[in-house]
Amino acid sequence: QVRLVESGGGSVQTGGSLRLSCTVSGSNSGTYYMGWFRQTPGKQRVGIAIIDPDGSTRYEDSVKGRFTISKDNAKNTLYLQMNSLKPEDTATYYCAADRRPSPVYLGVWSGYLEVWGRGTLVTVSS
């Protein structure tokens, strides 16, 4: 059974950087469509960055140019490098994976997706 564990969250000031990691166990992450999502209390989960098995990446407009998604298949780890952080980036960040492309998409998200991590909190103060 595939399991995802996020790490790297924390508190940072506006303009700072953080790198989130998502360690995959139980399967080869290279065959999955993977993404980073975020959610704040009372709001829906939002897909912000996606990476396909072939390494293609896509970003939601609010993070484009500031965040970078990448993966190291040898280490079975997904990353999200976050630069120029803003207070509105404050959220719980989740990584997710699915063997199908359709559930892994940008923007407000709903539906079913195979595997979720438990999330890591990022707080950006002004």
Side-chain angles (χ1 to χ4, degrees):
Q1 185 174 357
V2 176
R3 183 166 173 252
L4 306 178
V5 179
E6 303 95 337
S7 62
S11 297
V12 64
Q13 291 189 324
T14 297
S17 297
L18 283 174
R19 188 176 82 157
L20 306 183
S21 298
C22 173
T23 302
V24 183
S25 60
S27 183
N28 180 0
S29 63
T31 61
Y32 281 77
Y33 295 83
M34 300 192 72
W36 287 98
F37 297 72
R38 67 185 181 187
Q39 189 172 20
T40 54
K43 295 192 175 180
Q44 287 185 271
R45 198 163 291 189
V46 177
I48 59 169
I50 294 168
I51 188 164
D52 293 345
D54 67 359
S56 302
T57 59
R58 286 163 282 153
Y59 299 92
E60 198 258 344
D61 285 347
S62 66
V63 306
K64 201 175 293 183
R66 301 187 298 123
F67 291 11
T68 303
I69 187 171
S70 63
K71 62 178 179 176
D72 185 331
N73 289 335
K75 294 183 178 180
N76 250 4
T77 302
L78 178 74
Y79 301 100
L80 185 68
Q81 177 66 44
M82 306 187 294
N83 298 328
S84 303
L85 282 161
K86 307 174 182 179
E88 51 264 43
D89 295 318
T90 295
T92 299
Y93 285 71
Y94 300 88
C95 65
D98 201 297
R99 284 167 288 187
R100 306 161 298 161
S102 55
V104 188
Y105 57 86
L106 301 174
V108 177
W109 185 88
S110 64
Y112 172 79
L113 200 150
E114 273 191 77
V115 191
W116 289 97
R118 290 193 171 187
T120 185
L121 179 63
V122 172
T123 303
V124 185
S125 58
S126 57

mmCIF file of all heavy atoms in Angstrom, residues 50-94:
data_model
loop_
_atom_site.group_PDB
_atom_site.id
_atom_site.type_symbol
_atom_site.label_atom_id
_atom_site.label_comp_id
_atom_site.label_asym_id
_atom_site.label_seq_id
_atom_site.Cartn_x
_atom_site.Cartn_y
_atom_site.Cartn_z
ATOM 1 N N ILE A 50 1.522 20.230 -10.115
ATOM 2 C CA ILE A 50 1.373 18.844 -10.547
ATOM 3 C C ILE A 50 2.612 18.427 -11.332
ATOM 4 O O ILE A 50 3.179 19.222 -12.087
ATOM 5 C CB ILE A 50 0.128 18.695 -11.443
ATOM 6 C CG1 ILE A 50 -1.135 18.949 -10.638
ATOM 7 C CG2 ILE A 50 0.083 17.310 -12.096
ATOM 8 C CD1 ILE A 50 -2.361 19.099 -11.490
ATOM 9 N N ILE A 51 2.996 17.171 -11.157
ATOM 10 C CA ILE A 51 4.071 16.614 -11.974
ATOM 11 C C ILE A 51 3.625 15.255 -12.496
ATOM 12 O O ILE A 51 3.126 14.410 -11.747
ATOM 13 C CB ILE A 51 5.392 16.535 -11.177
ATOM 14 C CG1 ILE A 51 6.548 16.139 -12.089
ATOM 15 C CG2 ILE A 51 5.286 15.608 -9.980
ATOM 16 C CD1 ILE A 51 7.920 16.427 -11.472
ATOM 17 N N ASP A 52 3.767 15.079 -13.792
ATOM 18 C CA ASP A 52 3.369 13.836 -14.435
ATOM 19 C C ASP A 52 4.512 12.811 -14.356
ATOM 20 O O ASP A 52 5.653 13.184 -14.067
ATOM 21 C CB ASP A 52 3.038 14.102 -15.904
ATOM 22 C CG ASP A 52 1.802 14.962 -16.065
ATOM 23 O OD1 ASP A 52 1.056 15.117 -15.078
ATOM 24 O OD2 ASP A 52 1.591 15.476 -17.182
ATOM 25 N N PRO A 53 4.226 11.542 -14.650
ATOM 26 C CA PRO A 53 5.302 10.540 -14.634
ATOM 27 C C PRO A 53 6.460 10.878 -15.580
ATOM 28 O O PRO A 53 7.600 10.489 -15.306
ATOM 29 C CB PRO A 53 4.589 9.262 -15.075
ATOM 30 C CG PRO A 53 3.186 9.446 -14.619
ATOM 31 C CD PRO A 53 2.910 10.915 -14.819
ATOM 32 N N ASP A 54 6.162 11.622 -16.658
ATOM 33 C CA ASP A 54 7.238 11.973 -17.587
ATOM 34 C C ASP A 54 7.986 13.238 -17.165
ATOM 35 O O ASP A 54 8.895 13.674 -17.865
ATOM 36 C CB ASP A 54 6.688 12.159 -19.009
ATOM 37 C CG ASP A 54 5.770 13.367 -19.136
ATOM 38 O OD1 ASP A 54 5.549 14.057 -18.124
ATOM 39 O OD2 ASP A 54 5.270 13.610 -20.253
ATOM 40 N N GLY A 55 7.620 13.811 -16.016
ATOM 41 C CA GLY A 55 8.314 14.993 -15.500
ATOM 42 C C GLY A 55 7.694 16.317 -15.894
ATOM 43 O O GLY A 55 8.166 17.367 -15.451
ATOM 44 N N SER A 56 6.650 16.310 -16.704
ATOM 45 C CA SER A 56 5.968 17.554 -17.068
ATOM 46 C C SER A 56 5.339 18.172 -15.830
ATOM 47 O O SER A 56 4.784 17.463 -14.991
ATOM 48 C CB SER A 56 4.890 17.277 -18.113
ATOM 49 O OG SER A 56 5.434 16.678 -19.256
ATOM 50 N N THR A 57 5.391 19.497 -15.746
ATOM 51 C CA THR A 57 4.864 20.194 -14.574
ATOM 52 C C THR A 57 3.843 21.255 -14.973
ATOM 53 O O THR A 57 3.894 21.804 -16.072
ATOM 54 C CB THR A 57 5.985 20.864 -13.774
ATOM 55 O OG1 THR A 57 6.672 21.794 -14.624
ATOM 56 C CG2 THR A 57 6.980 19.841 -13.260
ATOM 57 N N ARG A 58 2.926 21.517 -14.073
ATOM 58 C CA ARG A 58 1.929 22.565 -14.254
ATOM 59 C C ARG A 58 1.683 23.236 -12.921
ATOM 60 O O ARG A 58 1.787 22.588 -11.874
ATOM 61 C CB ARG A 58 0.616 21.972 -14.779
ATOM 62 C CG ARG A 58 0.657 21.573 -16.242
ATOM 63 C CD ARG A 58 -0.494 20.632 -16.543
ATOM 64 N NE ARG A 58 -0.200 19.289 -16.075
ATOM 65 C CZ ARG A 58 -1.116 18.400 -15.728
ATOM 66 N NH1 ARG A 58 -2.390 18.709 -15.784
ATOM 67 N NH2 ARG A 58 -0.763 17.198 -15.336
ATOM 68 N N TYR A 59 1.329 24.530 -12.980
ATOM 69 C CA TYR A 59 1.151 25.307 -11.759
ATOM 70 C C TYR A 59 -0.123 26.131 -11.806
ATOM 71 O O TYR A 59 -0.515 26.641 -12.857
ATOM 72 C CB TYR A 59 2.334 26.254 -11.555
ATOM 73 C CG TYR A 59 3.652 25.540 -11.402
ATOM 74 C CD1 TYR A 59 4.464 25.279 -12.509
ATOM 75 C CD2 TYR A 59 4.068 25.097 -10.154
ATOM 76 C CE1 TYR A 59 5.664 24.603 -12.368
ATOM 77 C CE2 TYR A 59 5.276 24.423 -10.005
ATOM 78 C CZ TYR A 59 6.062 24.182 -11.119
ATOM 79 O OH TYR A 59 7.248 23.512 -10.978
ATOM 80 N N GLU A 60 -0.715 26.274 -10.653
ATOM 81 C CA GLU A 60 -1.850 27.168 -10.504
ATOM 82 C C GLU A 60 -1.319 28.603 -10.538
ATOM 83 O O GLU A 60 -0.188 28.873 -10.114
ATOM 84 C CB GLU A 60 -2.535 26.854 -9.181
ATOM 85 C CG GLU A 60 -3.948 27.359 -9.056
ATOM 86 C CD GLU A 60 -4.011 28.616 -8.223
ATOM 87 O OE1 GLU A 60 -3.039 28.913 -7.509
ATOM 88 O OE2 GLU A 60 -5.045 29.320 -8.305
ATOM 89 N N ASP A 61 -2.125 29.524 -11.072
ATOM 90 C CA ASP A 61 -1.626 30.871 -11.337
ATOM 91 C C ASP A 61 -1.051 31.561 -10.105
ATOM 92 O O ASP A 61 -0.078 32.315 -10.196
ATOM 93 C CB ASP A 61 -2.750 31.734 -11.920
ATOM 94 C CG ASP A 61 -3.031 31.399 -13.377
ATOM 95 O OD1 ASP A 61 -2.209 30.692 -14.003
ATOM 96 O OD2 ASP A 61 -4.079 31.833 -13.885
ATOM 97 N N SER A 62 -1.622 31.323 -8.938
ATOM 98 C CA SER A 62 -1.190 32.053 -7.746
ATOM 99 C C SER A 62 0.224 31.682 -7.302
ATOM 100 O O SER A 62 0.840 32.424 -6.532
ATOM 101 C CB SER A 62 -2.169 31.818 -6.588
ATOM 102 O OG SER A 62 -2.136 30.459 -6.187
ATOM 103 N N VAL A 63 0.748 30.556 -7.759
ATOM 104 C CA VAL A 63 2.093 30.130 -7.330
ATOM 105 C C VAL A 63 3.083 30.094 -8.487
ATOM 106 O O VAL A 63 4.285 29.879 -8.268
ATOM 107 C CB VAL A 63 2.064 28.751 -6.637
ATOM 108 C CG1 VAL A 63 1.056 28.752 -5.491
ATOM 109 C CG2 VAL A 63 1.780 27.632 -7.624
ATOM 110 N N LYS A 64 2.588 30.312 -9.705
ATOM 111 C CA LYS A 64 3.451 30.239 -10.880
ATOM 112 C C LYS A 64 4.584 31.240 -10.763
ATOM 113 O O LYS A 64 4.371 32.411 -10.431
ATOM 114 C CB LYS A 64 2.620 30.502 -12.134
ATOM 115 C CG LYS A 64 3.227 29.994 -13.422
ATOM 116 C CD LYS A 64 2.268 30.187 -14.583
ATOM 117 C CE LYS A 64 1.039 29.321 -14.455
ATOM 118 N NZ LYS A 64 0.130 29.458 -15.616
ATOM 119 N N GLY A 65 5.805 30.781 -11.006
ATOM 120 C CA GLY A 65 6.970 31.645 -10.923
ATOM 121 C C GLY A 65 7.580 31.720 -9.535
ATOM 122 O O GLY A 65 8.691 32.228 -9.368
ATOM 123 N N ARG A 66 6.874 31.237 -8.531
ATOM 124 C CA ARG A 66 7.394 31.253 -7.150
ATOM 125 C C ARG A 66 7.637 29.852 -6.610
ATOM 126 O O ARG A 66 8.562 29.652 -5.815
ATOM 127 C CB ARG A 66 6.410 31.977 -6.229
ATOM 128 C CG ARG A 66 6.132 33.410 -6.618
ATOM 129 C CD ARG A 66 5.289 34.125 -5.561
ATOM 130 N NE ARG A 66 3.977 33.500 -5.382
ATOM 131 C CZ ARG A 66 3.530 33.036 -4.214
ATOM 132 N NH1 ARG A 66 4.274 33.121 -3.135
ATOM 133 N NH2 ARG A 66 2.319 32.513 -4.143
ATOM 134 N N PHE A 67 6.812 28.902 -7.003
ATOM 135 C CA PHE A 67 6.930 27.529 -6.501
ATOM 136 C C PHE A 67 7.431 26.624 -7.616
ATOM 137 O O PHE A 67 7.116 26.824 -8.792
ATOM 138 C CB PHE A 67 5.571 27.003 -6.039
ATOM 139 C CG PHE A 67 5.022 27.658 -4.798
ATOM 140 C CD1 PHE A 67 5.588 28.795 -4.250
ATOM 141 C CD2 PHE A 67 3.904 27.119 -4.163
ATOM 142 C CE1 PHE A 67 5.076 29.380 -3.106
ATOM 143 C CE2 PHE A 67 3.381 27.687 -3.023
ATOM 144 C CZ PHE A 67 3.958 28.826 -2.495
ATOM 145 N N THR A 68 8.187 25.603 -7.216
ATOM 146 C CA THR A 68 8.680 24.620 -8.170
ATOM 147 C C THR A 68 8.453 23.218 -7.627
ATOM 148 O O THR A 68 8.913 22.908 -6.518
ATOM 149 C CB THR A 68 10.181 24.811 -8.451
ATOM 150 O OG1 THR A 68 10.411 26.146 -8.933
ATOM 151 C CG2 THR A 68 10.669 23.813 -9.495
ATOM 152 N N ILE A 69 7.778 22.402 -8.403
ATOM 153 C CA ILE A 69 7.576 20.997 -8.037
ATOM 154 C C ILE A 69 8.627 20.154 -8.748
ATOM 155 O O ILE A 69 8.970 20.407 -9.914
ATOM 156 C CB ILE A 69 6.145 20.527 -8.391
ATOM 157 C CG1 ILE A 69 5.881 19.122 -7.842
ATOM 158 C CG2 ILE A 69 5.894 20.593 -9.895
ATOM 159 C CD1 ILE A 69 4.420 18.692 -7.978
ATOM 160 N N SER A 70 9.147 19.184 -8.035
ATOM 161 C CA SER A 70 10.139 18.295 -8.629
ATOM 162 C C SER A 70 10.073 16.955 -7.911
ATOM 163 O O SER A 70 9.455 16.842 -6.858
ATOM 164 C CB SER A 70 11.545 18.886 -8.540
ATOM 165 O OG SER A 70 11.931 19.043 -7.193
ATOM 166 N N LYS A 71 10.727 15.970 -8.486
ATOM 167 C CA LYS A 71 10.751 14.662 -7.819
ATOM 168 C C LYS A 71 12.074 13.979 -8.090
ATOM 169 O O LYS A 71 12.719 14.203 -9.110
ATOM 170 C CB LYS A 71 9.585 13.791 -8.271
ATOM 171 C CG LYS A 71 9.581 13.450 -9.747
ATOM 172 C CD LYS A 71 8.400 12.546 -10.076
ATOM 173 C CE LYS A 71 8.376 12.210 -11.570
ATOM 174 N NZ LYS A 71 7.297 11.251 -11.897
ATOM 175 N N ASP A 72 12.455 13.176 -7.142
ATOM 176 C CA ASP A 72 13.658 12.352 -7.260
ATOM 177 C C ASP A 72 13.185 10.911 -7.209
ATOM 178 O O ASP A 72 12.865 10.392 -6.133
ATOM 179 C CB ASP A 72 14.621 12.673 -6.113
ATOM 180 C CG ASP A 72 15.945 11.942 -6.247
ATOM 181 O OD1 ASP A 72 15.972 10.830 -6.825
ATOM 182 O OD2 ASP A 72 16.951 12.470 -5.760
ATOM 183 N N ASN A 73 13.101 10.288 -8.373
ATOM 184 C CA ASN A 73 12.560 8.927 -8.415
ATOM 185 C C ASN A 73 13.453 7.940 -7.663
ATOM 186 O O ASN A 73 12.970 6.981 -7.078
ATOM 187 C CB ASN A 73 12.379 8.478 -9.866
ATOM 188 C CG ASN A 73 11.230 9.206 -10.553
ATOM 189 O OD1 ASN A 73 10.298 9.669 -9.899
ATOM 190 N ND2 ASN A 73 11.303 9.320 -11.864
ATOM 191 N N ALA A 74 14.751 8.181 -7.675
ATOM 192 C CA ALA A 74 15.668 7.274 -6.968
ATOM 193 C C ALA A 74 15.418 7.305 -5.462
ATOM 194 O O ALA A 74 15.550 6.290 -4.776
ATOM 195 C CB ALA A 74 17.112 7.650 -7.278
ATOM 196 N N LYS A 75 15.046 8.488 -4.960
ATOM 197 C CA LYS A 75 14.773 8.632 -3.532
ATOM 198 C C LYS A 75 13.286 8.478 -3.220
ATOM 199 O O LYS A 75 12.890 8.568 -2.059
ATOM 200 C CB LYS A 75 15.259 9.995 -3.037
ATOM 201 C CG LYS A 75 16.763 10.166 -3.097
ATOM 202 C CD LYS A 75 17.177 11.517 -2.520
ATOM 203 C CE LYS A 75 18.687 11.665 -2.535
ATOM 204 N NZ LYS A 75 19.126 12.972 -1.979
ATOM 205 N N ASN A 76 12.474 8.294 -4.273
ATOM 206 C CA ASN A 76 11.024 8.179 -4.086
ATOM 207 C C ASN A 76 10.481 9.371 -3.290
ATOM 208 O O ASN A 76 9.700 9.206 -2.337
ATOM 209 C CB ASN A 76 10.662 6.876 -3.380
ATOM 210 C CG ASN A 76 9.965 5.902 -4.324
ATOM 211 O OD1 ASN A 76 9.820 6.158 -5.511
ATOM 212 N ND2 ASN A 76 9.527 4.781 -3.783
ATOM 213 N N THR A 77 10.912 10.566 -3.677
ATOM 214 C CA THR A 77 10.539 11.766 -2.933
ATOM 215 C C THR A 77 10.078 12.858 -3.891
ATOM 216 O O THR A 77 10.697 13.096 -4.934
ATOM 217 C CB THR A 77 11.714 12.279 -2.094
ATOM 218 O OG1 THR A 77 12.127 11.244 -1.198
ATOM 219 C CG2 THR A 77 11.313 13.506 -1.280
ATOM 220 N N LEU A 78 8.993 13.505 -3.499
ATOM 221 C CA LEU A 78 8.438 14.659 -4.208
ATOM 222 C C LEU A 78 8.783 15.907 -3.419
ATOM 223 O O LEU A 78 8.772 15.882 -2.182
ATOM 224 C CB LEU A 78 6.926 14.506 -4.325
ATOM 225 C CG LEU A 78 6.147 15.618 -4.993
ATOM 226 C CD1 LEU A 78 6.378 15.586 -6.503
ATOM 227 C CD2 LEU A 78 4.666 15.493 -4.676
ATOM 228 N N TYR A 79 9.083 16.992 -4.130
ATOM 229 C CA TYR A 79 9.459 18.240 -3.466
ATOM 230 C C TYR A 79 8.571 19.390 -3.939
ATOM 231 O O TYR A 79 8.030 19.364 -5.038
ATOM 232 C CB TYR A 79 10.914 18.603 -3.770
ATOM 233 C CG TYR A 79 11.915 17.571 -3.349
ATOM 234 C CD1 TYR A 79 12.469 16.680 -4.276
ATOM 235 C CD2 TYR A 79 12.319 17.471 -2.017
ATOM 236 C CE1 TYR A 79 13.386 15.721 -3.890
ATOM 237 C CE2 TYR A 79 13.233 16.523 -1.620
ATOM 238 C CZ TYR A 79 13.769 15.655 -2.560
ATOM 239 O OH TYR A 79 14.675 14.700 -2.172
ATOM 240 N N LEU A 80 8.472 20.403 -3.091
ATOM 241 C CA LEU A 80 7.878 21.674 -3.488
ATOM 242 C C LEU A 80 8.763 22.778 -2.924
ATOM 243 O O LEU A 80 8.786 22.997 -1.711
ATOM 244 C CB LEU A 80 6.456 21.824 -2.980
ATOM 245 C CG LEU A 80 5.738 23.086 -3.466
ATOM 246 C CD1 LEU A 80 5.484 23.004 -4.976
ATOM 247 C CD2 LEU A 80 4.428 23.316 -2.716
ATOM 248 N N GLN A 81 9.510 23.418 -3.805
ATOM 249 C CA GLN A 81 10.317 24.561 -3.402
ATOM 250 C C GLN A 81 9.447 25.804 -3.474
ATOM 251 O O GLN A 81 8.893 26.105 -4.538
ATOM 252 C CB GLN A 81 11.536 24.713 -4.323
ATOM 253 C CG GLN A 81 12.402 25.912 -4.025
ATOM 254 C CD GLN A 81 13.092 25.814 -2.672
ATOM 255 O OE1 GLN A 81 13.616 24.766 -2.311
ATOM 256 N NE2 GLN A 81 13.083 26.906 -1.913
ATOM 257 N N MET A 82 9.314 26.495 -2.362
ATOM 258 C CA MET A 82 8.448 27.672 -2.283
ATOM 259 C C MET A 82 9.299 28.893 -1.982
ATOM 260 O O MET A 82 9.930 28.968 -0.926
ATOM 261 C CB MET A 82 7.396 27.469 -1.204
ATOM 262 C CG MET A 82 6.583 26.199 -1.369
ATOM 263 S SD MET A 82 5.222 26.087 -0.201
ATOM 264 C CE MET A 82 6.110 25.954 1.351
ATOM 265 N N ASN A 83 9.329 29.837 -2.904
ATOM 266 C CA ASN A 83 10.082 31.075 -2.741
ATOM 267 C C ASN A 83 9.128 32.262 -2.724
ATOM 268 O O ASN A 83 7.968 32.152 -3.115
ATOM 269 C CB ASN A 83 11.082 31.233 -3.887
ATOM 270 C CG ASN A 83 12.112 30.128 -3.936
ATOM 271 O OD1 ASN A 83 12.497 29.579 -2.908
ATOM 272 N ND2 ASN A 83 12.566 29.795 -5.143
ATOM 273 N N SER A 84 9.641 33.395 -2.275
ATOM 274 C CA SER A 84 8.857 34.635 -2.233
ATOM 275 C C SER A 84 7.500 34.407 -1.588
ATOM 276 O O SER A 84 6.453 34.809 -2.115
ATOM 277 C CB SER A 84 8.681 35.191 -3.653
ATOM 278 O OG SER A 84 9.926 35.404 -4.276
ATOM 279 N N LEU A 85 7.523 33.777 -0.445
ATOM 280 C CA LEU A 85 6.274 33.409 0.218
ATOM 281 C C LEU A 85 5.509 34.636 0.681
ATOM 282 O O LEU A 85 6.094 35.658 1.083
ATOM 283 C CB LEU A 85 6.555 32.478 1.386
ATOM 284 C CG LEU A 85 6.840 31.028 0.969
ATOM 285 C CD1 LEU A 85 7.555 30.279 2.081
ATOM 286 C CD2 LEU A 85 5.554 30.325 0.587
ATOM 287 N N LYS A 86 4.181 34.512 0.632
ATOM 288 C CA LYS A 86 3.269 35.586 1.013
ATOM 289 C C LYS A 86 2.343 35.085 2.122
ATOM 290 O O LYS A 86 2.117 33.879 2.245
ATOM 291 C CB LYS A 86 2.410 35.997 -0.187
ATOM 292 C CG LYS A 86 3.189 36.356 -1.440
ATOM 293 C CD LYS A 86 2.251 36.606 -2.600
ATOM 294 C CE LYS A 86 3.000 36.922 -3.874
ATOM 295 N NZ LYS A 86 2.075 37.151 -5.022
ATOM 296 N N PRO A 87 1.774 35.992 2.902
ATOM 297 C CA PRO A 87 0.837 35.547 3.952
ATOM 298 C C PRO A 87 -0.308 34.694 3.396
ATOM 299 O O PRO A 87 -0.768 33.766 4.072
ATOM 300 C CB PRO A 87 0.328 36.865 4.530
ATOM 301 C CG PRO A 87 1.467 37.809 4.332
ATOM 302 C CD PRO A 87 2.065 37.428 3.015
ATOM 303 N N GLU A 88 -0.743 34.974 2.183
ATOM 304 C CA GLU A 88 -1.839 34.185 1.608
ATOM 305 C C GLU A 88 -1.422 32.770 1.213
ATOM 306 O O GLU A 88 -2.263 31.964 0.823
ATOM 307 C CB GLU A 88 -2.450 34.900 0.395
ATOM 308 C CG GLU A 88 -1.455 35.350 -0.654
ATOM 309 C CD GLU A 88 -1.047 36.815 -0.474
ATOM 310 O OE1 GLU A 88 -0.809 37.247 0.685
ATOM 311 O OE2 GLU A 88 -0.949 37.521 -1.508
ATOM 312 N N ASP A 89 -0.146 32.453 1.334
ATOM 313 C CA ASP A 89 0.312 31.078 1.130
ATOM 314 C C ASP A 89 0.148 30.228 2.378
ATOM 315 O O ASP A 89 0.375 29.014 2.347
ATOM 316 C CB ASP A 89 1.782 31.056 0.707
ATOM 317 C CG ASP A 89 2.024 31.693 -0.649
ATOM 318 O OD1 ASP A 89 1.223 31.444 -1.578
ATOM 319 O OD2 ASP A 89 3.024 32.436 -0.779
ATOM 320 N N THR A 90 -0.218 30.870 3.483
ATOM 321 C CA THR A 90 -0.438 30.138 4.724
ATOM 322 C C THR A 90 -1.543 29.106 4.536
ATOM 323 O O THR A 90 -2.653 29.439 4.113
ATOM 324 C CB THR A 90 -0.812 31.106 5.862
ATOM 325 O OG1 THR A 90 0.296 31.974 6.125
ATOM 326 C CG2 THR A 90 -1.176 30.344 7.124
ATOM 327 N N ALA A 91 -1.220 27.838 4.826
ATOM 328 C CA ALA A 91 -2.159 26.750 4.604
ATOM 329 C C ALA A 91 -1.530 25.447 5.082
ATOM 330 O O ALA A 91 -0.332 25.397 5.369
ATOM 331 C CB ALA A 91 -2.506 26.625 3.122
ATOM 332 N N THR A 92 -2.346 24.414 5.120
ATOM 333 C CA THR A 92 -1.818 23.063 5.262
ATOM 334 C C THR A 92 -1.592 22.517 3.862
ATOM 335 O O THR A 92 -2.493 22.581 3.016
ATOM 336 C CB THR A 92 -2.778 22.166 6.041
ATOM 337 O OG1 THR A 92 -2.957 22.697 7.355
ATOM 338 C CG2 THR A 92 -2.228 20.751 6.139
ATOM 339 N N TYR A 93 -0.398 22.016 3.626
ATOM 340 C CA TYR A 93 -0.017 21.517 2.313
ATOM 341 C C TYR A 93 -0.016 19.993 2.320
ATOM 342 O O TYR A 93 0.536 19.371 3.234
ATOM 343 C CB TYR A 93 1.369 22.039 1.933
ATOM 344 C CG TYR A 93 1.348 23.495 1.534
ATOM 345 C CD1 TYR A 93 1.145 24.493 2.483
ATOM 346 C CD2 TYR A 93 1.494 23.886 0.202
ATOM 347 C CE1 TYR A 93 1.092 25.834 2.120
ATOM 348 C CE2 TYR A 93 1.444 25.217 -0.163
ATOM 349 C CZ TYR A 93 1.237 26.182 0.801
ATOM 350 O OH TYR A 93 1.190 27.506 0.435
ATOM 351 N N TYR A 94 -0.638 19.438 1.289
ATOM 352 C CA TYR A 94 -0.766 17.996 1.160
ATOM 353 C C TYR A 94 -0.130 17.538 -0.145
ATOM 354 O O TYR A 94 -0.303 18.184 -1.175
ATOM 355 C CB TYR A 94 -2.230 17.584 1.129
ATOM 356 C CG TYR A 94 -3.027 17.960 2.346
ATOM 357 C CD1 TYR A 94 -3.664 19.196 2.438
ATOM 358 C CD2 TYR A 94 -3.166 17.069 3.409
ATOM 359 C CE1 TYR A 94 -4.401 19.542 3.551
ATOM 360 C CE2 TYR A 94 -3.911 17.396 4.524
ATOM 361 C CZ TYR A 94 -4.521 18.637 4.582
ATOM 362 O OH TYR A 94 -5.257 18.973 5.698
#
